Amino acid sequence: MTDALVERVRALRYAAARVSPLPLLVRGGIFLVVLAGFLLAYPVQALTARSLLALTVAAVLPAVGPRRIWPTFTALVTVGGWLLATLGFDRPPALWRLLAVATLLYLAHSLCALAALLPYDGLIDPDVVLRWLGRAGGVVLASAVLGVVLAWLGGAGGTDGSQAATVVGLLVAVGLSALLGWLLRRR
């Protein structure tokens, strides 16, 4: 029993000694993005020392295990914080906060996908990470512009604007689904 434990500790030390800096930076980015999402989503009244410690531990989990359930768990915790703030503490849902939380959720998801692909001990070209972040930034920018336009359409024209925004949103969702289906069939 002790031999197995000693062997596991030795294997862990060997693996820790081989970690390269770029995958470690990506995992550090996951931690920072998830923690920032928590801090933006939760109301200030709910951020006590104990809850901050719990949120910090929760932010470490997807950085350590990006292939496991932890990215989904932290996304649900972030959404729960948003719901707590808007429904429980009557914080009005500001557009900038909504866009920031959505951006951080997407970046956390994207960085977890990247970290799951990168070997922890591999020599990775920094251009790989920069291109990945560039594509993620493009998606975030396009989504933010579309979200602002749809929010503007929702406020324009009273109830007609709201219906127009709903129809446009549904058309965008159907169009993206059709595009994804076409891309999958093309393979």
Side-chain angles (χ1 to χ4, degrees):
M1 170 113 164
T2 58
D3 291 337
L5 184 62
V6 168
E7 196 59 38
R8 282 190 176 202
V9 170
R10 187 173 295 141
L12 184 63
R13 284 182 50 207
Y14 177 73
R18 293 187 50 174
V19 173
S20 59
L22 200 55
L24 197 61
L25 280 173
V26 170
R27 289 172 187 253
I30 292 170
F31 168 73
L32 291 175
V33 167
V34 169
L35 188 61
F38 287 159
L39 294 177
L40 266 175
Y42 276 87
V44 176
Q45 300 89 344
L47 295 176
T48 63
R50 183 175 288 164
S51 65
L52 279 175
L53 178 64
L55 291 176
T56 303
V57 169
V60 168
L61 295 175
V64 172
R67 289 184 184 144
R68 301 191 185 274
I69 192 132
W70 303 122
T72 303
F73 171 74
T74 55
L76 291 175
V77 170
T78 304
V79 171
W82 175 267
L83 291 175
L84 177 70
T86 56
L87 301 176
F89 286 89
D90 293 328
R91 182 171 71 189
L95 181 61
W96 72 268
R97 190 182 305 269
L98 179 63
L99 288 174
V101 169
T103 297
L104 292 171
L105 281 171
Y106 179 75
L107 287 177
H109 169 75
S110 183
L111 284 173
C112 284
L114 177 62
L117 293 175
L118 294 178
Y120 69 92
D121 60 349
L123 294 174
I124 291 111
D125 187 13
D127 285 343
V128 171
V129 175
L130 290 176
R131 284 193 312 257
W132 188 284
L133 291 176
R135 283 192 297 271
V139 169
V140 164
L141 180 64
S143 299
V145 168
L146 186 62
V148 168
V149 168
L150 289 178
W152 175 77
L153 284 175
T159 58
D160 294 339
S162 164
Q163 290 174 349
T166 303
V167 169
V168 169
L170 286 173
L171 289 175
V172 168
V174 168
L176 287 176
S177 298
L179 176 66
L180 288 173
W182 178 74
L183 287 173
L184 284 174
R185 274 182 280 154
R186 214 177 90 192
R187 277 183 150 186

